[in-house]
Amino acid sequence: FADLKARIAKTLAFIDTLPQAQIDGSEERAITTGSGDKARHFTGQTYLLHYALPHFYFHATTAYNILRHNGVDIGKKDFIGSF
């Protein structure tokens, strides 16, 4: 877990170095994934809401389920946080 926490800290530090102007307006930016006949075209907002986030949550949920299946003592609060 220490390595994972270090990786998260490094990623957050990198994000802090990005200029705001580089991100502003990206909801309308054209994004293409794949190539050739498998290319998919999105606007930034559509990519985030309908492609990136669903993929992220699928993988987070799958990892959570694998851990639980293998006896790791985790529960709902570990998945969604303590609200």
Side-chain angles (χ1 to χ4, degrees), residues 1-24:
F1 281 106
D3 289 344
L4 292 174
K5 288 180 179 182
R7 182 179 284 191
I8 290 169
K10 182 179 175 183
T11 301
L12 291 174
F14 169 75
I15 290 170
D16 287 339
T17 68
L18 297 174
Q20 185 172 345
Q22 189 173 352
I23 297 168
D24 287 347

Side-chain angles (χ1 to χ4, degrees), residues 46-59:
T46 302
Y47 175 80
L48 175 66
L49 298 178
H50 298 284
Y51 190 81
L53 286 176
H55 277 79
F56 171 81
Y57 282 110
F58 167 79
H59 289 286

Side-chain angles (χ1 to χ4, degrees), residues 60-73:
T61 301
T62 301
Y64 171 82
N65 289 330
I66 290 169
L67 291 171
R68 284 193 55 135
H69 175 77
N70 286 298
V72 176
D73 186 24

Side-chain angles (χ1 to χ4, degrees), residues 32-36 38-40:
T32 301
T33 62
S35 61
K38 297 200 182 227
R40 299 183 70 184

